[in-house]
Amino acid sequence: MTHSTTLVLTVRHPADSLAVVTVSGELDVETAPALRVKAVDLIGQGYAHVVLDMGPVEFCDSSGLNALIAIVHHARDHGGSLSVAAAPDQLTRLLDMTGVGGLMPVHADVAGAVAHFTRGSAAEEDTSGV
C-alpha cells in the first residue's frame, strides 16, 4: 500500500498585491512543491505579498519548511513578503526550533496578518517607485 498525502490550497485576495492562501492537509515531500509553485505563481501575477493561513495544516516536515524558505526568498526578490498565520502549535514549535520563523512574520490569525499588511503597505508603496 502507498500512503498518499493530501494538500488543498484555497486562495483569496483581500487587498491589491496581497494573496491569502489557506493551506489544508499535510505539507511534506509530496505536497510541498505544490505550495511553492502556487506561491511563486501568485507572486508572478502581481500578488507580491503572500499570507499563508496554516491553521488547517495537519503535518509539516522539513520539505514544508524548505518550501517556506524558498517562498520567502522568491517574494523578497520580487519586492514582496511572506507571512504565516494561525500556525498550529506543532508547526509553531517547528518554526521556532529551526529558526525558520525568524525569516518571516508569524501572526496568531489571518485577520492580524492582513491588518499588518494593510497598515504597512501605504508606506512601502510610497518608496517602491524610487
Side-chain angles (χ1 to χ4, degrees):
M1 279 192 225
T2 60
H3 174 66
S4 175
T5 56
T6 303
L7 183 72
V8 177
L9 304 173
T10 308
V11 181
R12 63 186 178 91
H13 307 284
D16 289 347
S17 76
L18 175 64
V20 175
V21 180
T22 301
V23 183
S24 303
E26 297 183 6
L27 196 50
D28 60 19
V29 69
E30 290 181 29
T31 60
L35 175 61
R36 187 172 53 250
V37 166
K38 176 55 96 177
V40 167
D41 285 350
L42 288 166
I43 293 164
Q45 294 171 22
Y47 298 100
H49 303 282
V50 177
V51 173
L52 297 180
D53 174 2
M54 303 294 269
V57 170
E58 299 165 8
F59 174 80
C60 179
D61 68 7
S62 61
S63 300
L65 292 178
N66 286 332
L68 296 179
I69 293 167
I71 295 166
V72 165
H73 290 302
H74 187 79
R76 288 180 183 166
D77 288 349
H78 291 83
S81 64
L82 174 69
S83 300
V84 170
D89 289 343
Q90 176 267 346
L91 181 55
T92 300
R93 283 192 304 274
L94 192 59
L95 291 170
D96 289 344
M97 286 189 317
T98 60
V100 174
L103 297 175
M104 69 204 80
V106 178
H107 299 274
D109 55 36
V110 174
V114 170
H116 183 262
F117 169 79
T118 54
R119 277 194 311 268
S121 63
E124 291 171 14
E125 288 172 6
D126 289 343
T127 60
S128 65
V130 176

